[in-house]
Amino acid sequence: MTNPLLSHWDTPFALAPFDKISDEDFAPAFAEALETHKAEIAAIADNAAAPTFANTIEAMEAAGSGLDKVLSVFFSVAGADSTPAREALQREFSPKLAAHGAEISANKALFGRIKAVWDARETLELSEEQQRVLMLTHRGFVRGGAALEGADDIRMKEIKSRLAVLGTDFTQNLLADERDWYMTLTEDDLEGLPGFVVDAARAAGEEKDAGGPVVTLSRSLIVPFLQFSPRRDLREKAFAAWAARGANGGETDNREIAAEILSLRQERAALLGYGSFADYKLETEMAKAPGAVRDLLMAVWEPAKARAEADAAVLTEMMHADGVNGDLAPWDWRYYAEKRRKAEHDLDEAALKPYLQLDRMIEASFACATRLFGLAFKPLDVPLYHPDCRAWEVTRNGAHVAVFIGDYFARGGKRSGAWCSAMRGQAKFPEVQAPVVINVCNFAKGDPALLSYDDARTLFHEFGHALHQMLSNVTYESISGTSVARDFVELPSQLYEHWLEVPEVLAEYATHAETGAPMPEEMLNKVLGAANFDQGFATVEYVASALVDLAFHEGAAPGDPMARQAEVLADLGMPAAITMRHATPHFAHVFAGDGYSSGYYSYMWSEVMDADAFEAFEEAGGAFDADTAKALETHILSAGGSVEADELYKRFRGRLPDVEALLKGRGLAA
């Protein structure tokens, strides 16, 4: 029988035939596709013809499509619908993929051809995009160790392989801790919780077969529990488990893994001649150097810390008024902040949530894309990897643009957080291909599913990433969509969050789940008025994480990352009632792979731009100004990585922004 992962997909829009794919197909398909890609690379490297852009760079762009096809399916299901079998396959595949990548980047004959094309670039009459692809290919090989020789070359391969294993182990340990822990609740324990939290706890209990309601470590359940439960003892127990993910001892403990990862990264950077891993990593980002990152973060830290400390004093008074003596603790902050928000803004999340139905918020995100970019969305009835998933065809003026898949609900086999990925990226070479884009979230199920305001913001955020993928319009897939500098990749996503706060969007799509009535104007004004509520807390927990990440990578690798984390927080004067958003043992952004290592700051770097970019719409007359939307698509959303990020932004805005736009946007400006 033909392996469906290796056959031609004669399906609508050439989507993966998920109904025909089983876990038993992955290993043989991976093995065959890997060997095929090795043969393709060997043919390019061993080509007797003189190196040209076409027979070397474009040939590399065309190679590996079969492997990409297999891996796009596998990693989609491994992250969003994990099973023990898929986790075992991931542990098997990761070191092999790392070794394969290391072999390619260390292939001297191949690098020789790339360098020959690079050296001749001034004579080749390449387009701007081709010049960019050539530069990125050459730079990627140099940074990957292609110029290393002898023992250094061998060691680099070993480091890459080991890092792949460690990243997989880190991810799976974290998933295991999140999946296995839950706290059972009695009917008395539900007292004081709003209906949507009770419903989510009961649904989680059914999934766990726990015989009653439970609190899990899914953010969409534990955060509202911490916000609303009057039981301080239960809040403390739940928070302790949430904070301890990856640090519980035993087989799933991530602390030694983190230490080894940091040590190997430092060694990798040293082999390539860099003073630190941060120097290596940031060289290709907009920030360029660790000092620029630190300057940004510290410019935000002081006003955020001052706001948080002032807020802590208010919350402590509220707690003492409740008869709870002592200091405000991390498991108290969300509870008293919610009470304060209700008191000061007369905004009750339990009353707000029925107006934020998942389906209506999806409609809102689509409607904004229709008004801004002329996109239309039509539901598709196609097999997908899980019954929770939904799909839409995206068109413009009747022409196919993309397929968009949404996987919105939390479940035991899904890693935490939210993300966007492309099962197929946009390209015109070697043939035209339209993107297939997935948004994965972890919202609590319900009938109907209701979102918190933070959940709704997450939905818009991830759809901003999806637009970056779907509206891409370049020739080569290696620079399409979100293939941009790490500290630029969050600009479209964070910018799109602003449309959730456009009053006319909420007025139309924030409708009550039971009555269908639109959100009352008074509540709408309160929602928008409270948009910056508790920004001291949110900014401190984020910036602390970013500064710890930077400290881990800008000097010698710490032998004890937990001690280094504590040292950094002490030097900052971290408020006692706030913890890092992601403590080291569960800091998947940094340790699950290299993506955000030395780069967690990038959300804030992008926020400087997104605050300034939305001002461009406001200055032009409104959130749906057609000319500004066209400029945004032309210079940012469609351009991918075809031009340096700072140049793309200047083409859109005419200049680069400064931190004042961010401080103003967060309500932290003096």
Side-chain angles (χ1 to χ4, degrees), residues 129 425-433 472-477:
E129 187 177 332
Q426 177 272 329
K428 301 174 187 175
F429 177 89
E431 58 187 17
V432 174
Q433 62 184 39
S472 179
N473 185 25
V474 298
T475 301
Y476 301 102
E477 188 174 359

Side-chain angles (χ1 to χ4, degrees), residues 322-395:
D322 273 357
V324 180
N325 296 318
D327 296 330
L328 187 74
W331 47 90
D332 298 317
W333 190 293
R334 288 175 175 83
Y335 178 70
Y336 285 100
E338 181 60 31
K339 291 183 74 169
R340 182 186 181 192
R341 181 169 75 152
K342 188 174 180 180
E344 293 185 1
H345 296 277
D346 194 21
L347 186 61
D348 180 356
E349 175 131 343
L352 171 64
K353 203 158 184 176
Y355 290 97
L356 299 176
Q357 301 174 66
L358 171 61
D359 285 352
R360 294 294 278 152
M361 290 299 101
I362 293 171
E363 285 183 52
S365 67
F366 288 177
C368 292
T370 300
R371 291 186 63 180
L372 289 164
F373 310 115
L375 300 178
F377 301 83
K378 177 184 176 183
L380 288 174
D381 183 11
V382 293
L384 297 167
Y385 61 82
H386 192 279
D388 286 347
C389 296
R390 302 152 70 178
W392 293 264
E393 182 191 7
V394 186
T395 60

Side-chain angles (χ1 to χ4, degrees), residues 101-168:
E103 287 171 8
I104 293 173
S105 62
N107 187 316
K108 304 307 179 188
L110 182 62
F111 179 58
R113 294 182 67 83
I114 294 167
K115 188 173 185 305
V117 179
W118 171 251
D119 290 343
R121 63 190 180 280
E122 301 295 341
T123 67
L124 300 181
E125 298 183 355
L126 301 176
S127 69
E128 182 181 37
E129 187 177 332
Q130 288 174 327
Q131 292 176 46
R132 177 73 173 166
V133 171
L134 173 58
M135 185 279 291
L136 290 172
T137 303
H138 179 261
R139 186 178 74 182
F141 268 72
V142 172
R143 287 170 55 82
L148 297 177
E149 301 285 351
D152 288 349
D153 188 19
I154 294 170
R155 181 57 183 155
M156 179 63 79
K157 291 178 184 176
E158 293 171 348
I159 289 172
K160 289 181 178 179
S161 179
R162 180 61 180 159
L163 283 170
V165 171
L166 293 171
T168 299

